[in-house]
Amino acid sequence: MKGIKNFLKIIIFCLLTAAVLLVLGRVLENKASRFNKMPLYALKKQPDVIFVGASRMHNAVYPVRLWEKYGIASYNAASPGEQTGTTYYVMRQLLEDFSPKVMVFDLALVSGTDEISWSHEIGFIHESMDFMPLNKNKIELAEKVAEYNDMSPIAFLSRIYFYHERWKELGREDFEEKFSREMGAELLTRVKRVRKIEAAEVSENPEALKSAGYVYLDKMMELCTEKGVKLVFVNLPYTKDTEKKQADEYTYMMEAGRRGHYSFDLLRNWGDKAPDNRYDFADPSHVNAVGAVKLTDVLGAYLITLPEVEDHRGDEAYSDWDASEADYLYFKADCANEAESAKDFAMYAYGQDDWGLKAYEGTEGLLAGDPEAEYVIQGCGATPLNASYMTEAEREYLGDRKYDKKISLFIEDRATGKILAGNVYSPVRGSDFEEDEEDE
Amino acid sequence: MLFNSIPFLIFFPIVVLLYFVIPQKYRWVWLLISSYYFYMSWNAVYGLLLFFSTLITWISGRLSKHYENNEKMKKRVLVLTIVVNLGLLGYFKYFSFMLNTVNSLLSRINSGLSVPVPDILLPVGISFFTFQALGYAIDVYRGKVESEKNFFRYALFVSFFPQLVAGPIERSESLLKQMKTPTRFSYDNLRSGFLMMLGGYFLKLVMADNLAVVVDAVYGDIHRYPGGYLALATVMFAFQIYGDFGGYSLIARGAARIMGFELMDNFESPYMSRSVGEFWRRWHASLGKWFRDYLYIPLGGSRKGTLRKYINVMIVFLLSGLWHGAAWHFVVWGGLNGLFQVIESAAKPGAEKLASRFKIRTGTDSFQILKGFFTFAAVDFAWLFFRADSLRGALDIIKSMVSYSNYWIIFTPEILKTGPDEKQFAVMLLAVFAVLVADYRKIKGFDICKWVMNQQFWFRTLVYITLLCAILLFGAWGGGYSAAGFIYFRF
């Protein structure tokens, strides 16, 4: 009897310890992976299109806009710093959990690589794989990245093992469940002048198909073929592109076509939506909100032509995307309200055709002083920018904030005239955006 | 396989589980296999050395039995055993050191000659198992223990994995005897052994390895850090090495207890000592007892007059220094500890007279604390030589500490330049404080482990889980951290 009692005590202790460790791991982990991926798992209807890849994809394609403009039910599952091999395993996991019709992958980090890279940025690797359950995919990926980084695979399989030192930086947000309100994407407001992108005259480079970088592209195509999913290779703009890189990308795209998949050469198909090298980039590799809206539109126009992709607007089953669209507007208005500069404020308003953006100096209506903000504001198709006078409602909205000799910006709903966001900034004369010296 | 490594955390539960599943008769065989696997996981060739040392001392024991009526032969056998075992230890541990010393001397006299120094890999724990095995051979020779007939059971005594690589250096009269007695699973052993292991991991991972960040940074670049930092790092090292070695010993004792074996307490609140002599009875007690029984007493101990006693103390501690490491700074460290004890002993009558003359109440807590403080200062000064990379390095550190005046710097945020942030510093200080409080209570008769063991299941569970969480959260382990070896493994 005593033996059974002791045995039960051991079992209870083990269970309690396991529970505490589980909670501890959940609290300590960096929430980025769950933040980005969990909304996908919460969707009632599966998306037709899932975007995968690294930060360039993560920052360039807005699923909410794809829904709004084309009715495409999509999700952006790309993750910053994600290397091609990692994307393959993420893709494997996503294709076990979902049945999309199309997966879109950016070739950015594949081209020109002579060896398979798994990233030395351990935090990025975790951001990519933390959402995965402990299964064959995760274990295989952990073994690969661990071997590459000369670490123990457990560093990628156990939350506590990797994150236990995060106790020093735990904040209130670590105890709240917060998820992406951008359907996995991330809007960037930074502006950096970069080199103008020129599409070179390229032809196929057979060597590209023998490179180590191609190994996981090959696996991706094989996996998608096996699962009956179409893979679309795209080449998001990178201002430090070389001719060889463009040729390699072209080769991979051609190969995709030969193997029954798709590709979309953005560089040669964006027409008048080409990103402006002065205003549309956050840095040489990433587009900002303005560039992203343009690229999303170009990509959406292509994707909707695919036989696998349908316009689901009005379909009750896809109401999650309607809800996301509505929430996205609140999200952007919230961000605008907290924006640190007039330019950032305008960035959040960019691409919302239903919104008007008003700017005042003091109470006089005018364009914000700095060229970026003007560019963005004009691009917003805002309501009269410089002919109005600050209304009583707008003054009330600002409350105690002093607006004399300052720039005040407002976002209003064009249909109802309701003020959605408003903030006051010091006037900026000239430009505060950074220039990429290397690119100039 | 380090105790603070993932392989050990997988290895140990499997060994324990199978140990209690296997019929009692064969359990020791399983332990022997596990122990050799544990040892050979460092380097399979080491296993041969361990086996050879075991074989020699076992044969010695058998021959001692065989020649029990022939004192001369018995003595020859013992001498041969000691020579072979110490020869092995000398070759692996001291041969390069000796050649380097010879080269240094040759270079000083500008002879233009040098002896090639072979690159000999020091087998883990060789000093520990050699001493344990020699202790058995001497005990059999003295007739204190029976010669073990079963070679493999004896092999388990020498290779028992919890204490194989860093002690405690067990006596055959205790451990070998336990190995002959069948062990049963005991819930009490499990819970107390587990608590000891947790305590050991706390000492090692939370206290020692966090302190090591500062100590390693400062001692790794002694010319960059001024005297204040060096003094602080030296104090921290005293606690680092305590957490490191004390932690190892506690894990070893806990692991052994779970399997039903009792190992000796190697650390008994050493920093609560009020004399260096007392410190050495409390610090690494198993080594101290080994030296006492097999060297100090045979040398004459204190039986041959005061001067001879002092000489014996110095011999023991100089050799103890050499045992800890094949370098002159270890020898100086040992010598200093011996010297402090000689001074204590020589000054004792005078100090007592002074106390009586000035009516100092030596029994008061304040006086005892003062004595404790001076003892710590002396021991810590010696630790400086232990931790320094060389004798020259130690002297440079002392010079820097003496010539430095701005000691307040260690109480300013400047100290954060050594690596850890404010929160890590707070953890270190709390860990040291907690350990000192527990040690203080222990010498006052309150053993916190025993107290926890007497509490209700739910309270004990809370203590275990809290300790586990503290280790997991505040310990230096996991991603980005390579399991730092226990300091004593290299001896």
Side-chain angles (χ1 to χ4, degrees):
Chain A
M1 189 62 196
K2 201 179 171 191
I4 293 169
K5 205 174 151 189
N6 288 339
F7 179 72
L8 281 176
K9 281 181 183 174
I10 295 169
I11 297 291
I12 290 169
F13 172 75
C14 290
L15 289 175
L16 276 174
T17 306
V20 169
L21 295 186
L22 207 68
V23 172
L24 206 60
R26 184 56 67 80
V27 169
L28 289 170
E29 76 172 340
N30 185 320
K31 311 296 181 294
S33 189
R34 285 175 55 77
F35 177 86
N36 284 326
K37 303 285 197 313
M38 283 306 114
L40 171 61
Y41 284 81
L43 291 170
K44 287 195 237 31
K45 187 81 183 165
Q46 297 206 2
D48 283 351
V49 182
I50 296 180
F51 299 92
V52 289
S55 55
R56 287 171 43 180
M57 181 65 97
H58 181 61
N59 299 127
V61 183
Y62 296 166
V64 177
R65 188 165 177 91
L66 283 177
W67 175 256
E68 188 191 347
K69 287 273 174 193
Y70 304 100
I72 298 172
S74 68
Y75 194 89
N76 191 333
S79 188
E82 188 170 292
Q83 301 291 312
T84 311
T86 308
T87 303
Y88 165 71
Y89 284 97
V90 168
M91 198 184 250
R92 247 170 63 168
Q93 184 61 45
L94 291 174
L95 290 178
E96 271 177 26
D97 298 338
F98 303 98
S99 312
K101 290 165 184 159
V102 172
M103 295 209 83
V104 184
F105 174 71
D106 171 35
L107 292 166
L109 296 179
V110 185
S111 313
T113 52
D114 297 326
E115 59 172 325
I116 299 168
S117 166
W118 294 94
S119 180
H120 289 300
E121 292 289 340
I122 311 300
F124 280 152
I125 299 172
H126 270 276
E127 199 167 329
S128 291
M129 66 188 293
D130 279 356
F131 81 99
M132 294 162 79
L134 189 61
N135 59 14
K136 192 168 170 264
N137 297 331
K138 191 166 187 171
I139 293 169
E140 256 184 55
L141 175 55
E143 282 170 353
K144 302 266 184 196
V145 289
E147 192 187 344
Y148 186 75
N149 287 290
D150 196 19
M151 291 172 76
S152 161
I154 201 146
F156 300 95
L157 297 173
S158 157
R159 290 191 189 104
I160 288 190
Y161 189 91
F162 184 72
Y163 290 118
H164 73 99
E165 284 187 5
R166 267 200 83 232
W167 63 269
K168 285 180 276 185
E169 55 192 63
L170 287 183
R172 209 176 63 183
E173 62 282 0
D174 285 293
F175 299 90
E176 297 169 349
E177 285 279 33
K178 277 192 174 174
F179 299 113
S180 169
R181 293 166 76 184
E182 303 172 75
M183 300 208 92
E186 188 192 0
L187 181 156
L188 296 180
T189 59
R190 213 166 48 238
V191 180
K192 192 162 195 165
R193 258 189 194 172
V194 295
R195 194 172 64 184
K196 197 166 183 183
I197 300 166
E198 305 284 353
E201 283 288 324
V202 290
S203 55
E204 281 198 64
N205 170 22
E207 290 302 307
L209 299 180
K210 293 175 195 160
S211 71
Y214 177 69
V215 171
Y216 279 94
L217 278 191
D218 179 48
K219 284 175 182 273
M220 279 183 199
M221 287 191 275
E222 204 177 292
L223 174 70
C224 286
T225 304
E226 186 192 317
K227 296 274 182 182
V229 175
K230 291 289 180 189
L231 184 60
V232 180
F233 286 154
V234 296
N235 50 352
L236 289 168
Y238 176 52
T239 63
K240 289 180 178 173
D241 254 356
T242 60
E243 200 168 308
K244 180 185 177 297
K245 188 170 173 302
Q246 287 193 20
D248 288 350
E249 286 174 355
Y250 179 72
T251 311
Y252 300 141
M253 288 181 175
M254 291 299 109
E255 183 63 13
R258 286 191 284 271
R259 291 174 63 167
H261 292 290
Y262 301 126
S263 62
F264 183 61
D265 190 342
L266 267 161
L267 241 62
R268 292 161 187 86
N269 287 293
W270 51 36
D272 63 345
K273 294 264 188 181
D276 189 322
N277 65 308
R278 293 167 304 162
Y279 302 113
D280 297 356
F281 285 85
D283 58 55
S285 305
H286 304 92
V287 286
N288 60 27
V290 180
V293 165
K294 289 179 181 176
L295 289 179
T296 303
D297 287 351
V298 177
L299 203 53
Y302 162 74
L303 289 173
I304 200 67
T305 63
L306 298 179
E308 291 81 7
V309 181
E310 291 171 57
D311 180 348
H312 291 295
R313 280 175 294 188
D315 184 343
E316 192 55 35
Y318 289 85
S319 60
D320 277 341
W321 274 266
D322 284 325
S324 288
E325 187 188 348
D327 180 61
Y328 188 57
L329 297 181
Y330 286 115
F331 165 74
K332 288 196 8 168
D334 289 346
C335 290
N337 266 327
E338 287 167 19
E340 288 179 357
S341 72
K343 178 257 299 174
D344 285 1
F345 187 98
M347 280 279 183
Y348 288 112
Y350 191 85
Q352 296 307 136
D353 299 342
D354 299 338
W355 285 1
L357 195 137
K358 291 181 173 178
Y360 302 94
E361 182 163 12
T363 52
E364 298 286 333
L366 89 169
L367 270 173
D370 68 287
E372 302 160 50
E374 280 175 25
Y375 173 81
V376 178
I377 290 165
Q378 282 168 344
C380 290
T383 48
L385 290 165
N386 52 2
S388 59
Y389 193 78
M390 196 186 280
T391 64
E392 196 56 41
E394 287 163 344
R395 283 176 215 217
E396 261 179 44
Y397 191 91
L398 293 179
D400 295 339
R401 283 173 281 187
K402 301 264 185 259
Y403 47 82
D404 291 343
K405 295 178 186 173
K406 292 210 170 175
I407 300 290
S408 302
L409 290 173
F410 294 95
I411 293 173
E412 72 172 36
D413 188 312
R414 278 182 164 174
T416 63
K418 187 184 169 193
I419 302 167
L420 302 170
N423 217 336
V424 180
Y425 301 97
S426 294
V428 178
R429 297 296 173 201
S431 170
D432 66 347
F433 60 68
E434 304 160 59
E435 293 198 2
D436 189 346
E437 287 169 16
E438 209 184 314
D439 268 12
E440 282 302 292
Chain B
M1 195 187 303
L2 292 165
F3 281 175
N4 55 332
S5 66
I6 300 289
F8 181 77
L9 296 180
I10 296 167
F11 165 85
F12 183 64
I14 293 173
V15 170
V16 171
L17 206 69
L18 288 177
Y19 178 72
F20 287 115
V21 168
I22 289 169
Q24 276 195 354
K25 222 170 123 182
Y26 304 109
R27 282 180 186 170
W28 67 272
V29 179
W30 169 242
L31 269 192
L32 178 63
I33 294 167
S34 306
S35 295
Y36 265 78
Y37 174 80
F38 173 84
Y39 191 64
M40 288 164 80
S41 66
W42 267 285
N43 186 335
V45 182
Y46 289 172
L48 290 175
L49 185 70
L50 176 65
F51 180 81
F52 184 67
S53 181
T54 307
L55 187 65
I56 294 292
T57 45
W58 179 75
I59 291 172
S60 166
R62 296 309 298 152
L63 287 175
S64 276
K65 171 77 182 167
H66 183 74
Y67 294 119
E68 63 186 336
N69 299 320
N70 185 343
E71 193 60 31
K72 205 174 170 186
M73 277 306 287
K74 253 173 82 177
K75 201 166 195 169
R76 277 185 189 166
V77 167
L78 179 67
V79 169
L80 189 67
T81 307
I82 292 172
V83 167
V84 171
N85 274 277
L86 290 184
L88 277 175
L89 181 63
Y91 172 74
F92 282 103
K93 195 161 174 176
Y94 302 108
F95 192 54
S96 301
F97 168 62
M98 284 190 293
L99 294 182
N100 279 324
T101 307
V102 169
N103 280 340
S104 172
L105 289 172
L106 288 174
S107 132
R108 286 207 175 174
I109 57 167
N110 295 319
S111 67
L113 299 169
S114 76
V115 187
V117 181
D119 188 16
I120 302 167
L121 199 62
L122 180 67
V124 178
I126 185 169
S127 307
F128 287 92
F129 68 71
T130 302
F131 270 38
Q132 182 156 316
L134 278 179
Y136 162 80
I138 298 168
D139 282 349
V140 173
Y141 167 79
R142 288 174 176 174
K144 270 182 81 179
V145 293
E146 275 293 308
S147 155
E148 173 58 48
K149 286 180 193 161
N150 187 329
F151 169 73
F152 293 104
R153 201 185 294 273
Y154 172 71
L156 172 60
F157 161 71
V158 179
S159 66
F160 185 47
F161 75 86
Q163 47 86 242
L164 170 61
V165 290
I169 302 168
E170 280 294 329
R171 300 301 176 83
S172 50
E173 59 190 338
S174 165
L175 189 60
L176 193 55
K177 198 173 157 192
Q178 290 182 60
M179 280 161 178
K180 288 179 179 174
T181 318
T183 51
R184 286 176 178 279
F185 172 78
S186 152
Y187 177 69
D188 287 345
N189 280 346
L190 174 69
R191 63 195 182 116
S192 62
F194 185 59
L195 183 64
M196 284 164 102
M197 288 183 83
L198 283 178
Y201 281 115
F202 181 86
L203 282 171
K204 166 67 178 163
L205 298 172
V206 181
M207 188 165 96
D209 287 352
N210 277 315
L211 289 166
V213 177
V214 181
V215 175
D216 291 350
V218 176
Y219 269 78
D221 198 354
I222 56 170
H223 298 294
R224 183 180 155 211
Y225 291 99
Y229 289 92
L230 291 163
L232 179 74
T234 306
V235 172
M236 283 181 155
F237 179 68
F239 292 102
Q240 182 203 336
I241 195 164
Y242 178 34
D244 195 284
F245 195 20
Y248 174 87
S249 289
L250 211 49
I251 298 170
R253 288 180 63 213
R257 182 175 288 180
I258 288 174
M259 293 183 286
F261 298 95
E262 210 51 50
L263 301 182
M264 70 171 83
D265 193 356
N266 223 6
F267 290 86
E268 295 175 69
S269 311
Y271 291 135
M272 296 295 134
S273 307
R274 280 145 305 176
S275 69
V276 177
E278 186 188 350
F279 173 82
W280 278 103
R281 287 190 293 278
R282 293 178 176 278
W283 180 277
H284 201 177
S286 63
L287 180 70
K289 283 175 185 160
W290 197 98
F291 273 117
R292 183 197 64 197
D293 293 349
Y294 303 120
L295 184 63
Y296 180 71
I297 292 174
L299 283 172
S302 57
R303 303 185 306 274
K304 294 186 175 176
T306 309
L307 181 66
R308 184 61 189 271
K309 177 189 160 187
Y310 294 159
I311 291 171
N312 290 343
V313 169
M314 287 309 294
I315 290 172
V316 165
F317 276 88
L318 286 168
L319 285 175
S320 171
L322 201 60
W323 181 89
H324 279 85
W328 289 111
H329 61 104
F330 286 115
V331 178
V332 171
W333 166 77
L336 276 174
N337 275 290
L339 187 65
F340 291 149
Q341 290 180 70
V342 169
I343 294 169
E344 270 174 7
S345 181
K348 198 176 175 188
E352 280 170 355
K353 270 185 193 167
L354 272 178
S356 162
R357 173 88 184 268
F358 292 102
K359 293 183 179 158
I360 298 168
R361 285 180 294 150
T362 54
T364 58
D365 281 350
S366 53
F367 189 79
Q368 296 302 319
I369 289 169
L370 197 67
K371 275 179 81 180
F373 175 79
F374 282 115
T375 301
F376 179 81
V379 167
D380 195 32
F381 177 72
W383 280 137
L384 186 155
F385 286 86
F386 187 98
R387 178 59 183 82
D389 292 337
S390 63
L391 199 50
R392 170 61 60 91
L395 296 173
D396 285 349
I397 291 169
I398 294 168
K399 203 171 143 191
S400 174
M401 282 160 67
V402 170
S403 60
Y404 190 71
S405 56
N406 185 18
Y407 273 87
W408 289 110
I409 199 161
I410 60 173
F411 299 107
T412 69
E414 287 289 300
I415 194 67
L416 299 178
K417 285 182 184 167
T418 54
D421 60 22
E422 287 159 340
K423 289 175 184 169
Q424 276 173 296
F425 261 104
V427 165
M428 284 177 212
L429 291 177
L430 277 172
V432 170
F433 180 73
V435 169
L436 286 179
V437 168
D439 277 359
Y440 179 74
R441 298 288 292 148
K442 196 175 174 185
I443 61 159
K444 292 286 177 189
F446 177 81
D447 188 327
I448 195 159
C449 287
K450 282 182 186 158
W451 179 78
V452 171
M453 283 303 108
N454 288 328
Q455 302 306 308
Q456 290 293 313
F457 167 73
W458 294 107
F459 184 81
R460 283 199 317 268
T461 302
L462 184 71
V463 172
Y464 289 144
I465 292 179
T466 307
L467 203 49
L468 186 64
C469 289
I471 295 163
L472 292 175
L473 285 176
F474 308 128
W477 67 280
Y481 164 78
S482 79
F486 286 86
I487 294 173
Y488 265 70
F489 272 35
R490 47 187 157 113
F491 304 135

